[in-house]
Amino acid sequence: MSGTIIIEQPEAAIGAIEIYMEDGMHADGRSAVASSRSVGADSGVSPSTVATTSPHPPAAASASASAESRASSNSPALDISALAAAEASDNAAGATSGQAGYVATKCDISDGMWEANDNRPLYSSECPFIHRATQCEAHGRVDTRYQNLRWRPTGDNATAGDSATAPGGCDAMPRLTATSACELMRNRNVAYVGDSIVRNHFNSLACIMYGTQGEPEVLGSHPYAQVYHWASCNATVAFYWSHYLVNLTLIDEHVFNTGGELDLESPDAWWFSHYNEHDTFVISAGQWWSTQRIQGKNMHFAAPHADAPLFEAYQTALFSVLRPFTAVNSTGKQVVLALVPPTHGFHGSCSATQPVTEEEARAKDYPEAKYNVLLADVARRYEAQRAKRGHGAPLLLLDTFGMSLTRWDGHPGTNTGGSNIDCGHYCLPGVPDAWNEMMLGLLWLQDGRGGVEQCEEWQGQAV
């Protein structure tokens, strides 16, 4: 893959970068000063001086890339206002009332079971792309069974350790193995966009590729964005940090907690400026859309949504983020809307060593559930609009919530390397590896690449 994506921040603006940290660390787990100084020197990324007055991390200067690995690279600029007008017209015509099948296959991954698998994990806990707060083994976690479990949807009739599949439903979905990983990712250019939970998801896929394909070429490195490429299967995996997914103008650009104004109608330019550089976008948000992190951090909504209730604002933002994918020139793109996985407790209550029963799991109330209802509704309405217009990127709703419900054992808990207790993120290797296995399998089916007859080169491999 030719070209380098330059996404580096000059050292002079370190203070501005640090306000975007959720947990006192950069998205790649390094300290602010260390990462700002090492980018370019360690990764081969050419430094670039960018303006530091924007309330967002600086937009990246993009280089050209091969046609095979970038989608719609010659697409005209998207007219967001025109897309919004078209959406309003569709709404008036009742296009969003349909119950379109937003999951593109008959495979329901939300119902299944976790099974021990001797061929998991696919990478070591020493993978360099794991955020340090989720390096649980390095921070004293002794039990490792949480790394060896594989999710099997109920519709998948193969027995544990059996690589055979049959047509239809989840049975037709290829399994993620050390052999199949490259083929499942061949010619894919995947960008994860969102908060630290999405980063958790990204870290997992980067490590799966690292564990099966080795060191990547670093196309871009920044505390809030990383882009890696594996030439062996022409696969690119990227991450763009975006708290709210939409544009945020801070009152004081150097101090996040002073508050700011969220423009619910405009996708965050930090990631949206890279729209033409990737073909598959994995998008999610929820952590930062709580009352605590909106009102508590003095965030306000820009007109005409200044008085919008929180959940209405959340859905408005999601529609704005998805709107570009309904454009005529979105051909070749895919969008994955990932549900918000469950937080299982606080103050050490997530320090289990094995999954809990489904009955135990469902006895708890999950704040993420209400966001997922809204996410699913947005997905249905998006797919109904896409069907009416006859164009736009297909959307896959990825149920990371249902899969993870019983995995109280999957969190760092007290094994974070600090004094905090983390029951929201997941240890790596671990649960997010299953999210990616399901995602890649469903995308394979959505692509129409076929079932097992087109995966013969890895049939017979242990799963």
Side-chain angles (χ1 to χ4, degrees), residues 101-433:
Y102 48 87
V103 177
T105 75
K106 295 180 180 179
C107 174
D108 178 8
I109 65 168
S110 63
D111 185 22
M113 63 188 71
W114 290 96
E115 296 182 330
N117 192 293
D118 292 339
N119 296 298
R120 291 293 190 273
L122 295 176
Y123 58 91
S124 163
S125 61
E126 297 179 355
C127 170
F129 305 123
I130 302 176
H131 188 281
R132 68 186 185 192
T134 56
Q135 291 175 320
C136 304
E137 195 173 352
H139 296 311
R141 182 160 183 175
V142 178
D143 67 295
T144 58
R145 184 176 183 271
Y146 67 93
Q147 301 179 6
N148 306 121
L149 300 180
R150 176 183 176 270
W151 177 253
R152 180 161 69 87
T154 300
D156 182 347
N157 294 320
T159 58
D162 184 358
S163 63
T165 57
C170 299
D171 296 333
M173 186 169 65
R175 290 159 177 74
L176 177 63
T177 70
T179 309
S180 69
C182 186
E183 195 62 31
L184 287 169
M185 279 295 294
R186 188 174 301 283
N187 298 326
R188 291 199 187 280
N189 193 322
V190 182
Y192 292 80
V193 179
D195 55 27
S196 59
I197 296 295
V198 180
R199 178 188 63 198
N200 210 182
H201 199 170
F202 156 78
N203 291 153
S204 163
L205 185 56
C207 283
I208 288 169
M209 293 301 294
Y210 176 82
T212 60
Q213 306 302 311
E215 290 277 356
E217 176 187 1
V218 179
L219 298 184
S221 184
H222 178 278
Y224 279 86
Q226 294 90 48
V227 187
Y228 304 122
H229 179 73
W230 283 267
S232 56
C233 37
N234 190 34
T236 300
V237 181
F239 170 69
Y240 299 99
W241 183 288
S242 182
H243 293 85
Y244 301 103
L245 301 179
V246 293
N247 270 330
L248 166 64
T249 302
L250 293 173
I251 295 173
D252 183 337
E253 66 193 47
H254 298 289
V255 184
F256 187 84
N257 289 332
T258 59
E261 185 175 75
L262 290 162
D263 182 355
L264 304 182
E265 299 286 346
S266 300
D268 185 355
W270 174 234
W271 70 266
F272 188 58
S273 61
H274 302 283
Y275 178 83
N276 287 335
E277 295 164 12
H278 307 284
D279 49 46
T280 302
F281 284 82
V282 184
I283 297 171
S284 189
Q287 281 191 325
W288 287 84
W289 282 92
S290 65
T291 301
Q292 179 184 4
R293 286 180 167 176
I294 294 290
Q295 296 178 1
K297 291 189 177 295
N298 195 29
M299 298 296 171
H300 303 280
F301 306 134
H305 306 287
D307 299 320
L310 177 62
F311 290 153
E312 178 184 318
Y314 178 66
Q315 280 201 306
T316 300
L318 289 171
F319 278 122
S320 297
V321 167
L322 293 177
R323 189 173 293 131
F325 295 96
T326 66
V328 174
N329 65 347
S330 61
T331 302
K333 292 192 181 295
Q334 295 170 306
V335 58
V336 177
L337 194 61
L339 298 187
V340 185
T343 297
H344 282 116
F346 299 94
H347 307 299
S349 62
C350 62
S351 297
T353 58
Q354 61 184 5
V356 300
T357 66
E358 186 169 344
E359 291 73 23
E360 289 177 290
R362 295 193 180 280
K364 180 183 183 298
D365 291 327
Y366 299 92
E368 297 83 8
K370 55 182 175 290
Y371 294 98
N372 291 334
V373 170
L374 299 176
L375 280 164
D377 181 58
V378 167
R380 280 191 291 268
R381 294 165 66 184
Y382 169 92
E383 194 62 21
Q385 285 188 345
R386 189 175 77 91
K388 178 179 175 65
R389 296 180 188 181
H391 56 74
L395 184 146
L396 175 68
L397 187 68
L398 185 67
D399 190 356
T400 57
F401 180 87
M403 293 170 57
S404 312
L405 199 60
T406 63
R407 293 301 306 273
W408 286 55
D409 62 316
H411 301 286
T414 57
N415 303 115
T416 60
S419 59
N420 60 309
I421 297 171
D422 188 348
C423 295
H425 302 90
Y426 288 83
C427 299
L428 292 178
V431 174
D433 302 333

